[in-house]
Amino acid sequence: MACFSLYFLMKKIVISLGGSLICPKEIDVNFINNFKELLESYSKEKILFVVVCGGGYIARSYQESANIITKLDSENKDWLGIQATKINALLIKSVFKEELVHGEVIEDPTLKIETDKQIIICSGWKPGWSTDYVAVKMALNFKADKIINLSNIDYVYSADPKKNSKTIKYKKLNWKAYLSLIDNKWSPGMNSPFDPIASQLAEKEKLEVNIIGKDLENLKNLINGNNFEGTIIG
């Protein structure tokens, strides 16, 4: 294995990949294939991609089904969600070329990872937060250049645009302004652009997070440092 310190020579990008894109209700083979091809297209460049996979529909369906049968507490809901992130992460890891992807899915984002691979896949870790928090911890671990939240939410809005036609779309927000728009406590299955626990840590560590939708051409623009559609928080 190459020494961990080699990655200080590389551009490092953490992608929080929403489970809603991996499996909206069925596995989105086209999206996953296009995502794979995009990241593999950088194989000759000095970029390290850390991809943290969310649970999305699979997590919510398990949580809701179990809750019909018996009243689940938040911790048990979280554990179901974490297992969903693991199966999604295994799926994503399996599609990449073996010479590019690290050999195991990473659960603990505080580990010092020694690898000569260009792509590292991560899952959920512990109850109390979403995979957005894992993404922030991985960004701190690797001293990443960017955190990108890739999901079905293309911008941060002042209210749900599906319910309010007069909602405001934000292109840039500081953390204080963003946190005023969302609930300040984590609950399993909550739907916010970036979860509150992850956001509070990102604010403390002065990190920047880019909220973009699922358009992979837009993701390519962001990776390449070009103009992109989305919200910059930080």
Side-chain angles (χ1 to χ4, degrees):
M1 288 186 181
C3 177
F4 174 82
S5 61
L6 285 177
Y7 286 116
F8 288 96
L9 303 176
M10 305 177 77
K11 183 177 181 180
K12 298 165 286 287
I13 296 175
V14 175
I15 299 174
S16 183
L17 177 61
S20 60
L21 302 188
I22 299 169
C23 183
K25 283 195 176 178
E26 296 181 357
I27 294 170
D28 192 335
V29 173
N30 287 334
F31 173 83
I32 293 170
N33 183 58
N34 292 335
F35 179 74
K36 163 193 178 292
E37 290 183 350
L38 174 60
L39 265 56
E40 288 185 345
S41 71
Y42 291 93
S43 62
K44 294 183 180 178
E45 300 187 35
K46 290 185 176 180
I47 301 178
L48 170 67
F49 291 104
V50 179
V51 181
V52 184
C53 299
Y57 172 78
I58 296 173
R60 276 185 279 274
S61 63
Y62 272 80
Q63 290 164 343
E64 290 167 4
S65 297
N67 206 47
I68 291 170
I69 300 166
T70 185
K71 184 67 175 177
L72 286 184
D73 60 23
S74 291
E75 182 172 347
N76 277 306
K77 285 182 181 178
D78 267 341
W79 280 121
L80 283 172
I82 289 165
Q83 296 306 314
T85 71
K86 290 180 180 180
I87 192 66
N88 281 344
L90 283 169
L91 170 63
I92 297 301
K93 189 186 85 67
S94 71
V95 303
F96 285 102
K97 295 176 182 176
E98 286 188 12
E99 63 266 28
L100 295 179
V101 68
H102 184 62
E104 60 183 335
V105 170
I106 302 300
E107 298 176 17
D108 182 349
T110 66
L111 292 175
K112 295 302 180 185
I113 302 160
E114 293 188 0
T115 184
D116 58 356
K117 306 301 184 181
Q118 192 174 5
I119 299 166
I120 297 173
I121 308 297
C122 308
S123 70
W125 184 30
K126 294 180 179 180
W129 50 69
S130 77
T131 46
D132 291 339
Y133 182 84
V134 177
V136 173
K137 294 291 284 186
M138 288 298 290
L140 293 171
N141 191 343
F142 280 93
K143 295 181 171 58
D145 302 278
K146 292 182 185 294
I147 301 175
I148 301 172
N149 191 74
L150 192 67
S151 72
N152 57 7
I153 299 173
D154 58 351
Y155 279 89
V156 175
Y157 294 87
S158 59
D160 188 341
K162 295 177 182 177
K163 299 177 182 178
N164 186 343
S165 61
K166 295 182 180 179
T167 186
I168 300 168
K169 178 171 67 175
Y170 298 105
K171 293 199 172 182
K172 192 162 188 178
L173 287 168
N174 61 35
W175 282 112
K176 183 177 180 180
Y178 172 71
L179 286 164
S180 72
L181 296 172
I182 64 171
D183 291 337
N184 61 8
K185 292 184 179 180
W186 163 253
S187 60
M190 78 179 295
N191 192 19
S192 63
F194 208 70
D195 98 50
I197 308 303
S199 297
Q200 290 160 21
L201 179 59
E203 179 184 32
K204 177 184 175 183
E205 299 292 342
K206 297 180 172 57
L207 296 178
E208 181 179 283
V209 172
N210 302 275
I211 305 292
I212 67 173
K214 62 181 181 179
D215 184 342
L216 293 177
E217 193 63 33
N218 195 37
L219 173 60
K220 183 178 180 180
N221 287 336
L222 179 51
I223 292 170
N224 292 342
N226 299 326
N227 291 333
F228 68 96
E229 295 294 322
T231 302
I232 300 171
I233 311 175

